[in-house]
Amino acid sequence: MCVFFFFFQAEDGIRDAQESRGLGDVYKRQSTQSTGVQLPMTRLMLPLVLLAACELVGALLHPLHIARPHESVLAMQGNLLPLGIFYTNISIGQPPVEFQVTVDTGSTDLLVPVKGCKGCKPGAPTYSPNASSSSAVESCHANCSSCVGPSRQQCGFSDSYLTCDLSNLTAICTVAGGIYRDTVQIGGMAASDVRFGGIVSQSQNFDQFEHIDGILGLAFKPEGFDVSPFERVVEQNREVSNVVQTCLTPSGGLLVLGETGDDSRHWEGELMWTPITLKAWYTVHADALFVNSKDTGVKGSALNGPFPSDPCIVDSGTNFLSLTSPAFDATVRLFTELCTAGKNLTGVCGINATSPIGLFGGGAVIISEESVNQFPDVTIVLKAVEGADPVPLTMGPAEYLIPVGGGKYRLGITRGDCIIGDTHMLRYWTVYDRANMRIGFAPARHDECVRSRQTLL
């Protein structure tokens, strides 16, 4: 049996005058003029030890894809727990080298280890510039945050993370290296001359990279050293729409790049659209938060965070619903009120729910099926596009109570910034319509998602 150590969400890379968001949240300083360094706030912080059979890991190494004229459909591996990530395979170079990368709508850049990386996982695939006939170095220029290499002629990056060292959650982990350009293939679609980060050094305490190789960012350019690799695919394959779609299940999911009319079989009813309010992250505006249909009363910046520095986002790289402190405290209060109303909410009632043994304190709690069924729905309501109704995104105990074995559950709601993460995406097919600056949600037909995924595997 192999023992792997993972964390729920890697922490945000350092970037000038901005904090990062999402799993990779690798919003670095590498390609913008440097005016100062800010260490971002933490996101989802509960650590996890994963025990996984070697045979299982081997079975997950090579997810397949289907390439159609207007889209590519890729299988994703992963789960809310114990991995806390969803990932797929991409390839880089000529001949191509395959990497497992986290699918992260909370960051922009593609990062993978390069040959000779110090501190990287032994035996992991690496990118070798000399082995690829299409490789090029991103030469150092005025907009690089640093210059690296023996002669300081390559544009460089350095990203720091928190909650990546399971023995010390306040310790910082770092990846650093140089920027390259090469052919990148995502599913059946390829783009040439794509900029990506080659990791040449990685701190030894970076536990998440004991499992995956890198990160595939899918956000907008302001959060990276270039546009997302998928945007390069769209530029060079004009028949592909600038749309990213996901469907998550408890044991994997689908990543769809582009769109066709056939996609609608994966969801029920009509898509509900909310505008992307800032072309950086997938930023949205939350109007209200309800627990058991009761309004928490938290509104505006208290619910969303300050705009534009720290807004509410939709992020596949965050596995839980993260709430601002006012929203989190109000949610705890309304859960506790249900206890006085006669509900048996194990891990909430009769104890300090935010203590280490309580659900809201990150504890793993044994909960009976009868008690699980008494937990309330939690609904965050997003602003609608013009002329449409508000967008209510509801999750129930089936989504936010995460089984961790032995009859125990952890709570998929945490204190941090406003981030709509994978707990909601378990219920909703999610469409990131980058071209029209909007995000669509509709209840997912998981039978169809599973069926499509099985045809790939």
Side-chain angles (χ1 to χ4, degrees):
M1 177 174 286
C2 297
V3 181
F4 299 96
F5 299 88
F6 303 118
F7 59 96
F8 294 168
Q9 176 185 340
E11 260 320 297
D12 311 330
I14 296 176
R15 183 174 175 87
D16 302 322
Q18 297 190 63
E19 74 178 36
S20 307
R21 315 298 298 267
L23 171 133
D25 293 350
V26 213
Y27 306 147
K28 313 162 220 18
R29 298 187 293 116
Q30 55 269 23
S31 286
T32 55
Q33 289 285 8
S34 206
T35 58
V37 177
Q38 174 181 345
L39 184 63
M41 296 172 60
T42 57
R43 299 285 178 239
L44 303 186
M45 304 185 181
L46 300 179
L48 172 72
V49 176
L50 170 64
L51 301 179
C54 294
E55 292 81 4
L56 174 61
V57 174
L60 300 181
L61 291 181
H62 300 291
L64 304 177
H65 66 269
I66 294 176
R68 300 189 180 114
H70 301 287
E71 70 177 11
S72 184
V73 183
L74 298 92
M76 289 193 289
Q77 309 292 343
N79 48 51
L80 291 181
L81 292 177
L83 279 82
I85 54 173
F86 290 84
Y87 60 95
T88 192
N89 283 25
I90 57 100
S91 62
I92 303 175
Q94 297 291 342
V97 177
E98 193 171 66
F99 298 91
Q100 290 184 327
V101 291
T102 296
V103 175
D104 186 21
T105 62
S107 66
T108 302
D109 298 330
L110 171 61
L111 297 179
V112 297
V114 298
K115 186 177 180 179
C117 174
K118 296 179 180 179
C120 290
K121 178 179 62 175
T126 58
Y127 175 75
S128 178
N130 294 332
S132 174
S133 62
S134 49
S135 176
V137 168
E138 179 74 1
S139 299
C140 200
H141 50 75
N143 290 328
C144 296
S145 66
S146 65
C147 296
V148 299
S151 302
R152 302 288 178 181
Q153 294 181 343
Q154 183 179 13
C155 194
F157 71 93
S158 179
D159 302 314
S160 294
Y161 298 78
L162 297 173
T163 67
C164 47
D165 183 335
L166 298 183
S167 63
N168 182 2
L169 296 183
T170 62
I172 294 174
C173 310
T174 300
V175 292
I179 299 174
Y180 295 87
R181 291 179 282 115
D182 209 332
T183 298
V184 172
Q185 183 165 325
I186 310 174
M189 301 184 295
S192 61
D193 207 37
V194 175
R195 291 177 176 85
F196 65 95
I199 302 170
V200 298
S201 65
Q202 176 180 305
S203 55
Q204 293 285 351
N205 59 340
F206 209 137
D207 291 328
Q208 185 189 22
F209 278 17
E210 287 297 308
H211 185 67
I212 60 170
D213 306 315
I215 297 172
L216 173 63
L218 292 167
F220 296 100
K221 184 177 180 180
E223 304 315 320
F225 47 68
D226 196 13
V227 298
S228 165
F230 172 63
E231 194 161 330
R232 291 295 183 212
V233 168
V234 173
E235 290 175 356
Q236 298 177 32
N237 298 268
R238 294 298 183 180
E239 73 280 4
V240 179
S241 300
N242 196 4
V243 175
V244 175
Q245 305 180 75
T246 61
C247 180
L248 303 185
T249 74
S251 58
L254 291 177
L255 171 65
V256 180
L257 303 176
E259 62 178 347
T260 68
D262 187 52
D263 298 328
S264 60
R265 65 188 174 88
H266 293 103
W267 70 76
E268 298 175 351
E270 299 294 326
L271 287 164
M272 304 176 290
W273 295 101
T274 186
I276 298 172
T277 60
L278 182 68
K279 195 171 183 178
W281 309 285
Y282 290 102
T283 303
V284 296
H285 182 83
D287 289 334
L289 177 68
F290 293 84
V291 174
N292 200 38
S293 300
K294 186 173 182 179
D295 196 339
T296 61
V298 182
K299 310 289 182 183
S301 61
L303 177 58
N304 290 271
F307 186 89
S309 63
D310 198 16
C312 192
I313 66 170
V314 179
D315 176 27
S316 66
T318 297
N319 58 341
F320 292 167
L321 170 65
S322 178
L323 298 173
T324 62
S325 286
F328 183 84
D329 292 339
T331 299
V332 174
R333 174 176 53 81
L334 291 184
F335 267 69
T336 304
E337 286 182 4
L338 291 173
C339 298
T340 60
K343 295 291 186 181
N344 176 26
L345 308 182
T346 306
V348 178
C349 301
I351 64 170
N352 179 355
T354 58
S355 71
I357 63 171
L359 280 175
F360 283 96
V365 179
I366 296 177
I367 307 176
S368 68
E369 182 178 353
E370 178 185 3
S371 181
V372 167
N373 293 333
Q374 296 186 50
F375 277 75
D377 286 345
V378 176
T379 301
I380 189 165
V381 181
L382 303 183
K383 176 183 178 181
V385 295
E386 186 175 355
D389 294 329
V391 179
L393 299 181
T394 298
M395 62 177 185
E399 288 81 35
Y400 68 74
L401 289 179
I402 318 300
V404 294
K408 293 183 177 181
Y409 294 81
R410 290 188 185 273
L411 183 68
I413 302 172
T414 190
R415 185 194 303 269
D417 295 320
C418 181
I419 305 177
I420 299 168
D422 296 338
T423 44
H424 273 96
M425 296 179 204
L426 281 181
R427 179 173 284 202
Y428 296 96
W429 180 274
T430 306
V431 180
Y432 302 86
D433 186 350
R434 298 163 52 90
N436 295 301
M437 291 294 289
R438 60 181 186 170
I439 304 175
F441 300 91
R445 293 188 59 190
H446 287 104
D447 56 339
E448 287 293 337
C449 291
V450 170
R451 186 176 295 113
S452 294
R453 181 172 176 271
Q454 289 301 321
T455 62
L456 299 175
L457 297 175

